[in-house]
Amino acid sequence: MSYGRAHLEERLRRALAEAIGGLEDPRLFLLTVEAVRLSPDGRVLTVYVEAFAEEEKALVALGHAEGRLLSEIARRVRLRHLPRLEFVPWRARPA
């Protein structure tokens, strides 16, 4: 992975973490964005999250908030195309 891609992924991870922190959804309490991976074509951003309580409910809440999260990403990180967000539990990440 090039420095540019790693830097972009870190900026996206920070922007998402801040945007999720701004949501007032109790299902997202104590949720951490551990890592993000942008697909090679830039169309999908896989977001690895860890929830300390009720992980399935947190993933559903994130899916419902995808539009708001994408608008926050667009405001904070300059991209040609906004990727689709795919939320995955941290424990399901590839080794």
Side-chain angles (χ1 to χ4, degrees), residues 2-58:
S2 68
Y3 169 77
R5 186 176 242 358
H7 183 71
L8 176 60
E9 287 178 347
E10 180 58 24
R11 288 183 60 207
L12 288 166
R13 186 194 67 76
R14 277 195 232 136
L16 263 173
E18 290 174 11
I20 290 170
L23 296 174
E24 294 182 12
D25 190 329
R27 297 175 292 182
L28 301 176
F29 183 68
L30 291 177
L31 181 112
T32 307
V33 177
E34 295 291 340
V36 298
R37 294 291 171 255
L38 192 60
S39 66
D41 63 0
R43 294 184 185 268
V44 179
L45 182 67
T46 304
V47 183
Y48 296 98
V49 297
E50 185 170 13
F52 295 100
E54 300 182 1
E55 190 169 80
E56 290 303 316
K57 288 183 180 181

Side-chain angles (χ1 to χ4, degrees), residues 81-95:
H81 304 286
L82 281 177
R84 180 176 54 84
L85 299 179
E86 182 178 279
F87 297 99
V88 179
W90 176 243
R91 68 183 185 289
R93 74 190 183 284

